């Protein structure tokens, strides 16, 4: 045993020589295990994990290293083996290509279907009901610049039923049909989720983060979840609920990746390798959501991924590029661009404008902090009261309330993406929008008219409505993203401030702050830019993204020269929001659901030691251990059945407690069950041996069961005086599921990931029993 220092991790190994069969099985402590029996066959199920368990990153990485070493060794022996080695090396790139193509195609389909169903709430196309409003009027020769969205081929429901588009009766019919379609779409969405795939609800990003950290949630990335999420995402967005499709598209892309992983043995059989692919898929999700391949890669790196090697960075970039190209080929928005929000601002920004941009950052931070606290409080009410028992009723009530309040206001009636596009828009001569209702249309420098004042009132009401309704919408049992609603809140606030600054400059050109750069007749203030900065600030306040958010925003809008305002607002937003709590919305939902997730951004500042956190505590019974020899199969089975632990340390003897290795519960049960079926003479009285050579036995004794092959010979250990901040870092950086605590080589206890999370919850005065899973 080598002990470097008090706070150094020490790995224990024995000085035995490995047998050829053990070496072939990769028994380096972490490699793929197999039962050493006369048949020398691998045991099915060995080295796999149960649902709601954490994977052993070290063992998975070691298993992949051994597999790669074996392939490289064989490749020198024959041409067939060399071709196998080459195909193995390129399988990752092929998988990334398939993930990009599948995700891009699905995202394009979702965009087209959502646009069509959203327009169906307003009316129908007479020349083909499958055309949305825009496509219906494309072929018409009777549209004008002033009324580009009106044509005889498209009729509203009121016009279709009453025969006229004017009057109170037509308005009431349109209103009722809008509510009817909203209720129908939301009802179908929540019913499908509840009946076929409960995991398809929400945004999916908190769970994706947890899965990428090494947690197993079976079925969360399965084919049923993918099918139902894709269908219900279209329905939920089309219902008019205050949610977006951008977050759930990350879940959809990860489902695609997980399903395609099963085509390749390398990824099907190794949980750590699969998580590298899922990290790349998260980048693909954002790439197709916003048409931002670079922003997607940075989003995966900054916000979602737990383990992100350089190889994954390249593959993420390739997959995001393929997905963006696929989406561009489908052209879902009909504008030959990847995004709906592409803008072209004609005036540069001035240094003085940094002050209002920072003000928008402060608003974004305050809104983000307020939203997180309000949403988590509402979700707690949902979980702890009878409200949570009626998800269908809740969705229908919220959908009815949203439709009822949204229809009278044109800015809340339109979809979130359309609203943001309208707010980002820079007014031109041909614009018929109310936001361009100035008295003098021709001059760049112009006073507000009645149309603009009406629009500002409507926007102020829309801001209050969006802020309140998003709190209760996010977290319902339908697919719901948070990117678009957050951006809409910020864009409305930004547009209001932008118009205010524009009018201030118009009426006060002689003020010191406007002198020199904003002369009369000059186009100096761009309200659309303020909307863009506000959108970034609010999204940053809610998610706490920084670098990736700025890149997504400039890719999203094409506004490369506005990076400095975006950076200023985003950083201010994060600082302000962090002053009220360092958790973003996704981390808050991870904690609410009790997932075992060690947040890499969170600092551990307590001065406790490993001995303070380990189990067993002073009042607890002694630690359940296995001895390397002397125990029978019956005794081992009794010990396993009487406890619920995920694994057991193996010691030299009960008296010495010197550590030998660690055995997982699942591997132990599978091996014993397999031995009883396939090895002659294995009975309850058979000795279980974890040593290389079986000890001498009486001639009439049943044959021993040798299980050294399934034992981890190098479990991670810390000494009892190791500071907990070091231990937490070890868990984060190595992805450990447990760590053994020793004193002078003698086993004292065990620290699991759950123990650390419970300890951190106690320090923060939270309920430690909220950590649900092992």
């Amino acid at each position: 045993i080598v002990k470097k220092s008090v706070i150094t991790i020490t790995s224990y190994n024995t000085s035995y020589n490995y047998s050829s069969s053990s070496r072939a099985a990769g028994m380096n402590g972490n490699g793929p295990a197999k039962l050493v029996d006369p048949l020398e066959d691998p045991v099915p199920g060995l080295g796999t994990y149960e649902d709601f368990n954490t994977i052993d990153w070290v063992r998975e990485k070691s298993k992949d290293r051994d597999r790669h070493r074996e392939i490289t060794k064989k490749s020198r022996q024959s041409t067939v083996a060399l071709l196998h080695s080459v195909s193995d090396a390129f399988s990752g790139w092929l998988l990334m290509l398939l993930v990009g193509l599948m995700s891009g195609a699905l995202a394009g389909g979702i965009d087209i279907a959502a646009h069509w169903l959203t327009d169906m709430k307003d009316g129908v196309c007479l020349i083909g009901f499958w055309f949305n409003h825009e496509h219906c009027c494309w072929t018409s020769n009777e549209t004008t610049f002033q009324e580009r969205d009106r044509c005889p081929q498209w009729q509203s429901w009121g016009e279709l039923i009453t025969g006229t588009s004017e009057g109170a009766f037509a308005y009431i019919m349109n209103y009722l049909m809008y509510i009817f379609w909203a209720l129908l779409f939301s009802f179908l969405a929540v019913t499908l989720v509840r009946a076929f795939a409960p995991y398809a609800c929400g945004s999916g990003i908190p769970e994706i983060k947890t899965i990428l950290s090494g947690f197993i949630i079976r079925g969360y990335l399965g084919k049923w979840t993918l099918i139902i999420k894709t269908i219900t995402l279209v329905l939920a967005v089309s219902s008019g609920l205050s949610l977006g499709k951008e977050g759930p598209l990350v879940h959809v892309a990860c489902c695609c990746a997980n399903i395609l992983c099963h085509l390749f043995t390398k990824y099907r059989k190794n949980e750590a390798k699969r998580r590298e692919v899922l990290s790349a898929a998260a980048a693909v999700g954002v790439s197709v959501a916003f048409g931002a391949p670079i922003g997607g890669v940075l989003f995966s790196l900054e916000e979602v991924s737990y383990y992100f090697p350089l190889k994954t960075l390249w593959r993420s970039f390739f997959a995001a590029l393929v997905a963006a190209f696929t989406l561009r080929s489908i052209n879902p928005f009909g504008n030959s661009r990847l995004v709906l929000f592409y803008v072209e601002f004609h005036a540069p920004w001035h240094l003085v404008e940094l002050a209002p941009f920072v003000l928008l950052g402060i608003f974004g931070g305050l809104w983000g902090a307020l939203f997180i606290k309000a949403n988590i409080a509402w979700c707690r009410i949902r979980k702890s009261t009878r409200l949570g028992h009626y998800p269908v009723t809740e969705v229908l009530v919220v959908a009815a309330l949203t439709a009822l309040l949204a229809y009278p206001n044109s800015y809340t009636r339109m979809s979130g993406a359309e609203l943001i596009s309208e707010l980002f828009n820079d007014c031109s001569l041909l614009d018929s929008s109310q936001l361009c209702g100035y008295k003098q249309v021709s001059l760049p420098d112009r006073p507000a008219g009645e149309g603009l004042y009406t629009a500002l009132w409507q926007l102020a009401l829309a801001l209050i409505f969006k802020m309140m309704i998003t709190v209760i919408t996010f977290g319902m049992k339908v697919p719901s993203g948070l990117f678009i609603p957050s951006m809409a809140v910020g864009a409305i606030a930004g547009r209001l401030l932008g118009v205010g600054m524009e009018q201030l400059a118009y009426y006060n050109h002689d003020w010191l702050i406007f002198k020199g750069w904003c002369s009369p007749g000059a186009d100096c203030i761009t309200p659309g830019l303020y909307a863009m900065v506000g959108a970034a600030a609010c999204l940053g306040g809610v998610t706490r993204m920084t670098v990736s958010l700025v890149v997504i925003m400039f890719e999203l809008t094409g506004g490369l020269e506005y990076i400095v305002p975006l950076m200023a607002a985003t950083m201010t937003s994060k600082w302000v929001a962090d002053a009220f709590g360092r958790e973003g919305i996704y981390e808050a939902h991870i904690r609410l659901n009790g997932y075992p997730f060690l947040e890499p951004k969170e600092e551990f500042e307590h001065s406790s030691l490993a001995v303070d956190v380990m189990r067993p505590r002073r009042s607890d019974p002694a630690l359940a251990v296995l001895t390397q020899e002397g125990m029978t199969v019956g005794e081992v089975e009794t010990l396993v059945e009487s406890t619920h632990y995920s694994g057991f340390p193996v010691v030299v003897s009960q008296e010495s407690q010197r550590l030998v290795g660690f055995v997982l519960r699942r591997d132990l049960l599978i091996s014993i069950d397999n031995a009883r079926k396939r090895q002659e003479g294995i009975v309850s009285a058979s000795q279980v041996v974890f040593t290389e050579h079986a000890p001498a036995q009486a001639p009439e004794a049943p044959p021993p069961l040798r299980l050294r092959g399934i034992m981890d010979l190098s479990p991670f250990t810390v000494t009892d005086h190791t500071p907990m901040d070091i231990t937490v870092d070890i868990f984060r950086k190595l992805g450990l599921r447990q760590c053994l605590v020793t004193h002078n080589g003698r086993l004292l206890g065990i620290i699991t990931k759950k123990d650390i999370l419970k300890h951190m919850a106690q320090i923060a005065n939270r309920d430690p029993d909220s950590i649900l899973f092992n």
Side-chain angles (χ1 to χ4, degrees):
I1 297 164
V2 181
K3 194 171 88 172
K4 291 183 182 175
S5 69
V6 174
I7 60 169
T8 308
I9 309 172
T10 54
S11 284
Y12 294 90
N13 217 321
T14 54
S15 57
Y16 296 125
N17 291 320
Y18 283 36
S19 68
S20 59
S21 62
S22 292
R23 192 161 47 245
M27 289 300 107
N28 301 328
N30 296 309
K34 82 178 194 178
L35 179 67
V36 182
D37 68 16
L39 296 171
E40 299 256 327
D41 283 338
V43 180
L46 214 58
T48 57
Y49 304 94
E50 291 178 354
D51 201 7
F52 295 125
N53 259 295
T54 305
I55 71 165
D56 189 331
W57 282 92
V58 179
R59 180 168 77 162
E60 295 296 310
K61 295 303 290 179
S62 176
K63 199 157 71 170
D64 185 61
R65 257 197 316 275
D66 290 339
R67 186 196 62 80
H68 191 262
R69 210 175 283 134
E70 188 72 21
I71 288 172
T72 308
K73 188 173 145 189
K74 284 181 178 174
S75 68
R76 301 190 190 101
Q77 296 170 2
S78 70
T79 311
V80 175
L82 180 65
L83 288 171
H84 178 248
S85 173
V86 171
S87 71
D88 182 76
F90 277 97
S91 62
W93 293 100
L94 177 59
L95 179 56
M96 290 296 103
L97 177 71
L98 294 174
V99 170
L101 290 169
M102 189 173 174
S103 302
L106 278 174
I110 288 168
D111 283 331
I112 292 165
H115 197 174
W116 171 58
L117 286 182
T118 301
D119 285 353
M120 190 182 273
K121 290 188 301 183
D122 296 325
V124 69
C125 187
L126 299 179
I127 55 172
F129 74 92
W130 54 89
F131 289 123
N132 64 35
H133 194 163
E134 191 179 358
H135 289 129
C136 190
C137 290
W138 267 359
T139 53
S140 176
N141 297 320
E142 299 170 61
T143 53
T144 61
F145 276 121
Q146 282 73 31
E147 295 187 325
R148 276 166 288 176
D149 60 337
R150 298 196 59 144
C151 61
Q153 287 84 354
W154 178 268
Q155 288 200 351
S156 67
W157 293 109
E159 198 175 347
L160 206 64
I161 295 164
T162 64
T164 176
S165 59
E166 305 298 326
F169 189 52
Y171 180 83
I172 290 166
M173 286 312 302
N174 282 330
Y175 201 160
L176 291 173
M177 288 303 290
Y178 182 90
I179 294 170
F180 165 75
W181 287 112
L183 287 171
L184 179 65
F185 294 155
S186 56
F187 175 73
L188 287 172
V190 70
T191 308
L192 286 170
V193 165
R194 198 177 178 206
F196 298 104
Y199 282 151
C201 67
S203 80
I205 293 178
E207 285 78 11
I208 298 293
K209 284 187 73 161
T210 311
I211 288 167
L212 288 177
S213 76
F215 197 53
I216 303 273
I217 308 178
R218 299 249 181 258
Y220 199 83
L221 301 174
K223 57 181 182 297
W224 269 111
T225 306
L226 174 63
I227 294 164
I228 298 301
K229 186 109 184 182
T230 306
I231 296 166
T232 55
L233 181 54
V234 172
L235 291 166
V237 170
S238 307
S239 69
L241 287 165
S242 184
L243 46 84
K245 61 181 183 297
E246 283 64 25
L249 277 173
V250 174
H251 187 185
V252 166
C254 286
C255 285
C256 295
N258 185 60
I259 291 162
L260 291 167
C261 274
H262 288 279
L263 302 175
F264 301 86
T265 313
K266 178 163 78 171
Y267 297 101
R268 185 175 68 247
K269 292 189 173 179
N270 193 296
E271 293 287 352
K273 293 294 289 178
R274 196 183 305 183
R275 273 152 183 76
E276 289 179 26
V277 177
L278 294 177
S279 288
V284 169
V286 173
S287 173
V288 293
F290 290 112
I294 302 167
V297 174
L298 289 173
F299 171 80
S300 181
L301 176 61
E302 181 185 0
E303 189 61 27
V304 181
S305 295
Y306 202 84
Y307 173 68
F308 203 83
L310 197 59
K311 183 170 61 177
T312 305
L313 181 74
W314 302 331
R315 287 182 177 172
S316 300
F317 184 70
F318 172 68
L321 195 68
V322 171
F325 176 77
T326 307
L327 190 66
R328 168 70 179 77
S329 304
I330 294 169
N331 192 16
F333 304 119
N335 58 3
S336 298
R337 299 194 188 278
L338 278 171
V339 293
L340 196 58
F341 311 143
Y342 187 81
V343 291
E344 287 179 289
F345 299 133
H346 307 292
W349 63 279
H350 197 267
L351 203 60
V352 174
E353 290 182 278
L354 274 178
F357 294 151
V358 167
L359 201 63
L360 283 172
I362 293 169
F363 171 79
L366 291 171
W367 150 244
L370 176 69
F371 173 79
I372 291 167
K373 289 189 186 303
N375 180 250
I376 293 299
W378 179 253
C379 288
R380 280 218 171 88
I381 291 168
R382 185 186 285 130
K383 286 186 89 163
S384 59
T385 63
R386 289 173 63 83
L387 179 65
H389 299 264
Y390 305 103
V392 178
T393 309
E394 184 194 6
V395 169
L396 287 176
V397 167
V398 174
L401 189 68
T402 306
L404 202 64
L405 297 174
Y407 188 82
N409 187 336
S410 60
Y411 294 108
T412 49
R413 188 191 315 166
M414 61 178 74
S415 70
E418 280 181 280
L419 173 62
I420 294 167
S421 187
E422 176 99 348
L423 293 165
F424 283 7
N425 184 35
D426 192 21
C427 288
S428 64
L429 288 173
L430 299 173
D431 267 313
S432 58
S433 167
Q434 271 194 312
L435 284 170
C436 300
Y438 294 94
K439 287 178 183 172
Q440 298 166 319
V441 180
S442 56
L443 289 173
D445 185 22
R446 55 215 163 179
E450 278 185 31
L452 182 57
Y453 282 123
T454 307
L456 293 181
W457 273 111
Q458 288 183 329
L459 279 179
L461 291 171
L463 178 64
I464 296 163
F465 171 73
K466 283 278 181 190
M467 288 171 78
M468 291 173 70
I469 206 75
T470 308
V471 169
I472 59 173
T473 304
F474 188 68
M476 292 197 307
K477 297 298 179 191
V478 288
S480 53
L482 201 56
F483 282 48
I484 291 293
S486 302
M487 286 172 69
V489 167
I492 294 169
R495 188 78 189 205
L496 290 170
L497 182 64
V499 173
M501 284 291 292
E502 183 187 45
Q503 296 309 303
L504 197 67
Y506 176 80
Y507 289 109
N508 302 283
H509 280 301
D510 54 340
W511 281 16
L512 188 63
I513 58 167
F514 298 120
K515 257 185 184 174
W517 68 279
C518 194
S519 53
D523 189 4
C524 45
I525 305 278
T526 310
L529 170 61
Y530 284 75
M532 189 170 93
V533 171
C538 278
L539 186 53
V542 170
T543 61
R544 309 299 160 84
M545 293 192 296
T546 49
V547 182
S548 56
L549 176 58
V550 171
V551 175
I552 286 169
M553 287 306 294
F554 89 71
E555 281 190 278
L556 183 64
T557 57
L560 193 60
E561 63 188 284
Y562 303 107
I563 281 185
V564 174
L566 287 169
M567 287 172 73
T570 306
M571 285 309 302
T572 307
S573 167
K574 180 171 169 54
W575 287 333
V576 172
D578 279 353
F580 293 92
R582 297 184 70 84
E583 281 185 333
I585 187 67
Y586 302 129
E587 291 77 26
H589 273 269
I590 285 171
R591 187 160 57 76
L592 178 74
N593 293 328
Y595 298 132
F597 180 75
L598 272 174
E599 177 53 60
K601 300 171 195 167
E602 195 177 342
E603 295 291 328
F604 186 89
E605 295 169 350
H606 204 261
S607 58
S608 49
L609 302 175
V611 72
D612 303 322
V613 180
M614 73 172 195
R615 287 181 298 163
R617 306 283 161 79
R618 287 181 179 85
S619 56
D620 292 346
L623 190 66
V625 295
L626 300 170
T627 55
Q628 67 176 1
E629 55 186 59
M631 291 182 79
T632 64
V633 170
E635 287 170 343
V636 171
E637 285 178 326
T638 304
L639 177 68
V640 172
E641 284 167 15
S642 63
T643 59
H644 56 272
Y645 306 128
S646 296
F648 302 91
V650 181
V651 294
V652 173
S653 66
Q654 292 286 1
E655 293 74 34
S656 77
Q657 291 287 307
R658 292 272 172 185
L659 186 64
V660 177
F662 191 84
V663 177
L664 291 175
R665 175 196 191 92
R666 184 177 173 83
D667 289 357
L668 194 61
L669 287 171
I670 289 171
S671 299
I672 291 173
D673 185 53
N674 183 71
R676 280 186 182 277
K677 289 175 184 172
R678 297 172 64 183
Q679 264 186 274
E680 281 185 34
I682 296 296
V683 291
S684 295
S686 299
Q687 273 211 18
V688 177
V689 179
F690 290 99
T691 54
E692 181 68 18
H693 304 288
Q697 288 186 296
E700 66 277 3
L705 174 59
R706 290 166 57 194
L707 294 181
R708 180 181 171 81
I710 66 165
M711 182 170 63
D712 179 358
L713 292 168
S714 54
F716 277 89
T717 62
V718 294
T719 65
D720 50 342
H721 288 290
T722 304
M724 272 311 292
D725 55 341
I726 302 285
T727 309
V728 170
D729 260 354
I730 292 166
F731 268 82
R732 278 183 187 144
K733 291 185 171 117
L734 294 174
L736 301 185
R737 61 187 298 185
Q738 75 272 320
C739 183
L740 299 170
V741 182
T742 62
H743 179 74
N744 293 338
R746 191 168 178 275
L747 180 66
L748 288 184
I750 187 169
I751 299 174
T752 64
K753 196 174 183 182
K754 189 173 177 181
D755 293 327
I756 288 178
L757 288 160
K758 281 191 167 188
H759 183 64
M760 290 170 83
Q762 279 176 324
I763 291 167
N765 293 318
R766 297 196 303 263
D767 177 20
D769 292 321
S770 62
I771 314 299
L772 300 176
F773 306 119
N774 293 318

